[in-house]
Amino acid sequence: MFGVTPSGSRLQPRRPGRMAAVAAAALTLASLLGVGAALNFDLPPGQEECFYEEVHAGHTISGAYAVTQGSHMDIDVRVYNPKSVMVYEALREGEGKFTIPTNEDGSYKLCFSNKMSMVSHKTVKLVVDNGEAPDLTGLAKKEHMDSVEQTLITIAHSARMIAFHQEEYRQLHDRHLVTVTSTNRRVKWWSLIECLAVLAVSGMQVAFIKRLFNKPMNKRMV
C-alpha cells in the first residue's frame, strides 16, 4: 500500500512447525495496522494528481475516495493498468469506490483531476488496499499450516476488508459532515436575514399607519 509500512514465557519445548505457523499468523495480524490508512491531498483548480500502486498478478486493488471540501464537491477519477489502459473512470463524482482484479504485475496509476474547475480548490481523501498478504515463506511452509492456522489467515483477510470499509465509511462521514455543517450555517444566516426583513417590514408598516392617523384633516366651513 502506498506510503504505508507495516510495523516472559515458560521454557518448554514446542513443535517448530506450530511455532512457525503461530508466528506467521501473528505477522499477518500485525500487518493489519497498515491497512486502511488514508491519504489526504489538495487538488488545485485546473490540475491533476496521480499516484502509483504496485500490485502483483492475481490480487485485487480496491480503493475509495471522497471530496471533503470544495465547490460542487466533484472530481474526475481514472485508473490505468501497467499498460496504460484505463480500467476505471468516474466523471464529476464526489465520492466512490472501485475494485479491480489484476492479471499482471506492475504499477497501477490512479489519477484525480480537477481540470473542470478554474477557481475552486478541492480536498480529496483516498484509501487504497492492494490485497497483498504478508510474505510467510520465511516463517512457515505449507505443511505447517493446519486448520487452526488457516482459520487465522481467513480471519486476518476478513479483518483487512473490515478495516478498508471502515476507512471508506469514515470518508463518507467526513464528506457528509462538511455538507451538513455548511447547510446548517446557510440556514442560520438565511433565518437571521428573514427575521431582520420581517422586523424591517413590520417597522415600516407601523410607521406608515402612525403617519396616516397623525396626518391633519382639512375641515371645510359651511
Side-chain angles (χ1 to χ4, degrees):
M1 185 173 182
F2 63 88
V4 177
T5 304
S7 70
S9 61
R10 299 177 60 185
L11 299 178
Q12 294 181 355
R14 298 182 181 178
R15 287 197 304 141
R18 180 170 295 277
M19 291 178 62
V22 172
L27 177 62
T28 303
L29 293 174
S31 69
L32 295 175
L33 296 176
V35 177
L39 172 68
N40 291 279
F41 61 94
D42 292 327
L43 201 56
Q47 299 295 320
E48 181 180 73
E49 291 285 349
C50 293
F51 304 91
Y52 294 84
E53 179 75 9
E54 191 71 24
V55 184
H56 295 293
H59 294 282
T60 299
I61 177 172
S62 302
Y65 57 90
V67 182
T68 57
Q69 291 183 2
S71 176
H72 299 297
M73 307 279 280
D74 60 347
I75 55 173
D76 295 338
V77 182
R78 296 178 179 88
V79 179
Y80 300 88
N81 66 12
K83 295 181 179 179
S84 298
V85 177
M86 186 170 62
V87 293
Y88 175 83
E89 181 181 34
L91 302 179
R92 294 184 176 274
E93 293 288 343
E95 60 188 53
K97 59 183 178 180
F98 54 84
T99 300
I100 304 170
T102 62
N103 51 17
E104 56 186 338
D105 296 345
S107 295
Y108 278 70
K109 184 168 70 170
L110 293 75
C111 293
F112 302 84
S113 174
N114 192 26
K115 292 184 177 180
M116 84 286 291
S117 176
M118 301 305 296
V119 178
S120 175
H121 281 72
K122 308 288 176 63
T123 299
V124 184
K125 193 171 185 179
L126 169 68
V127 59
V128 175
D129 180 35
N130 58 16
E132 295 282 352
D135 186 8
L136 306 179
T137 56
L139 294 177
K141 301 301 182 181
K142 184 176 181 180
E143 58 270 17
H144 297 151
M145 295 292 180
D146 58 15
S147 60
V148 175
E149 284 78 25
Q150 290 291 349
T151 302
L152 287 175
I153 297 300
T154 302
I155 294 174
H157 176 72
S158 299
R160 287 174 62 90
M161 292 297 98
I162 292 173
F164 174 79
H165 290 300
Q166 281 182 335
E167 188 59 41
E168 176 191 348
Y169 296 146
R170 190 176 294 113
Q171 287 182 356
L172 298 180
H173 171 269
D174 293 342
R175 171 181 165 82
H176 295 161
L177 180 62
V178 171
T179 302
V180 170
T181 302
S182 176
T183 302
N184 287 341
R185 185 172 59 251
R186 294 178 183 179
V187 169
K188 180 185 70 177
W189 285 109
W190 182 250
S191 300
L192 180 60
I193 292 173
E194 284 186 331
C195 291
L196 293 177
V198 170
L199 291 176
V201 171
S202 300
M204 292 175 60
Q205 289 177 340
V206 171
F208 178 77
I209 293 174
K210 289 179 63 177
R211 182 179 178 184
L212 182 63
F213 281 100
N214 291 335
K215 185 177 180 180
M217 299 183 63
N218 296 326
K219 297 182 178 180
R220 297 182 60 183
M221 298 297 297
V222 179

